[in-house]
Amino acid sequence: GAVVSQHPSWVICKSGTSVKIECRSLDFQATTMFWYRQFPKQSLMLMATSNEGSKATYEQGVEKDKFLINHASLTLSTLTVTSAHPEDSSFYICSARESASGSLYYSGANVLTFGAGSRLTVL
Amino acid sequence: AQSVTQPDIHITVSEGASLELRCNYSYGATPYLFWYVQSPGQGLQLLLKYFSGDTLVQGIKGFEAEFKRSQSSFNLRKPSVHWSDAAEYFCAVASVLWSSASKIIFGSGTRLSIRP
C-alpha cells in the first residue's frame, strides 16, 4: 500500500535556528501534499496545501514566511520552520494524495496517506 | 465551510464492551466523511470512509460507521473493543474530492481508554 515517510521523526533545536522536515511518498506520486500541526491532546490543524511545482496555499493565520513549504518533485515536500521559537514546538504531520488521472480522482482504499509525524522541540 | 464536531473528549469502556464514538458534521451538501485513528506519537491511519451509497460503512479492525443525513452524524461503532483499540480517534470531512483544491478538516478527536 501507499507509504509516506517523514524525516526526522524527532528533532530538538535551539531557539533562532531553522529546521527542515521532509515528507516523501515512497511508492506513489503525490501531486498534492498537506501539512498539519498538532498540539498535545489536540486535533490536527491544516497549515498549508503543497502542490508540486507551484506555491503552497496557506491556511488563514499561518505565517508563510515562518513555515516555508517546497514541493519540488512528485515524491517530496519539505516544511522549513525558520527562526524557530519554543512556541513552534509541536507535532507536524504530512499527508499525501496519490496523483490520478480521469474522473475517478479517488480510488483504492486510501484517500490520503499520512506520515508518522515529526516532533519538533525548540529549546 | 464544513466543520466537524466530536462532542466526547474522552471515553472509557471495558474490554469486550461495545463502543460508539460520536461525530456530527456541518455542511450544506453531501459531505465526504472519514474516521482516522492515531496511536500516541504516531501518524494517522484511515479506519473507514463514506463517499456515497450504502450508509453503513465497514472499515478495518472491526469498526463500522453509519451516515445519517437527517442527524448530520457519522458515528463510529465497534461491537467488542480490545485493549489495542486504545487511541485517539478523529472524525474528518471533505467537501469536494474531485479537485486538487479539496482538503480534509478534522474534528477535535476523542481519546479512547480501555478498562481491563
Side-chain angles (χ1 to χ4, degrees):
Chain A
V3 177
V4 171
S5 172
Q6 266 188 256
H7 178 80
S9 57
W10 201 329
V11 57
I12 301 174
C13 69
K14 294 182 178 180
S15 185
T17 61
S18 295
V19 175
K20 179 184 286 187
I21 300 171
E22 293 185 346
C23 178
R24 291 182 185 274
S25 56
L26 296 187
D27 49 3
F28 66 99
Q29 293 185 326
T31 304
T32 304
M33 292 184 174
F34 301 90
W35 286 96
Y36 290 85
R37 182 175 183 177
Q38 185 180 31
F39 290 105
K41 300 186 187 300
Q42 294 190 25
S43 185
L44 283 75
M45 300 301 296
L46 180 64
M47 298 175 65
T49 302
S50 169
N51 293 300
E52 186 267 336
S54 63
K55 290 184 178 181
T57 302
Y58 290 81
E59 295 299 302
Q60 192 172 9
V62 178
E63 300 175 61
K64 56 184 66 177
D65 294 331
K66 172 77 170 175
F67 300 99
L68 301 178
I69 291 174
N70 183 278
H71 194 156
S73 77
L74 285 172
T75 60
L76 174 64
S77 176
T78 60
L79 167 68
T80 301
V81 183
T82 63
S83 187
H85 288 90
E87 58 266 29
D88 298 324
S89 298
S90 188
F91 194 55
Y92 294 88
I93 301 178
C94 74
S95 65
R97 182 167 63 209
E98 186 170 355
S99 303
S101 59
S103 60
L104 193 62
Y105 196 83
Y106 280 102
S107 62
N110 263 330
V111 173
L112 286 181
T113 303
F114 283 80
S118 299
R119 183 166 302 285
L120 171 63
T121 300
V122 185
L123 302 177
Chain B
Q2 69 270 27
S3 66
V4 181
T5 301
Q6 292 181 249
D8 304 307
I9 297 174
H10 183 203
I11 285 181
T12 300
V13 299
S14 298
E15 189 169 16
S18 63
L19 169 71
E20 182 168 32
L21 301 182
R22 295 185 291 167
C23 172
N24 293 98
Y25 67 90
S26 173
Y27 183 61
T30 299
Y32 301 94
L33 296 160
F34 311 83
W35 274 101
Y36 285 88
V37 61
Q38 183 183 34
S39 297
Q42 299 294 313
L44 274 70
Q45 181 181 25
L46 179 68
L47 287 176
L48 47 79
K49 63 184 185 290
Y50 172 76
F51 285 2
S52 64
D54 193 346
T55 56
L56 184 62
V57 181
Q58 301 297 321
I60 62 172
K61 303 184 179 185
F63 286 93
E64 66 177 27
E66 186 170 11
F67 171 60
K68 293 185 177 180
R69 184 188 301 275
S70 62
Q71 299 177 19
S72 297
S73 69
F74 188 57
N75 294 348
L76 181 71
R77 301 193 295 248
K78 185 169 185 177
S80 176
V81 298
H82 187 261
W83 65 267
S84 60
D85 293 325
E88 189 86 20
Y89 290 81
F90 292 98
C91 183
V93 64
S95 58
V96 177
L97 291 186
W98 320 117
S99 166
S100 60
S102 67
K103 53 193 178 186
I104 293 180
I105 304 300
F106 287 86
S108 55
T110 298
R111 183 161 61 94
L112 174 65
S113 297
I114 305 298
R115 189 184 302 119

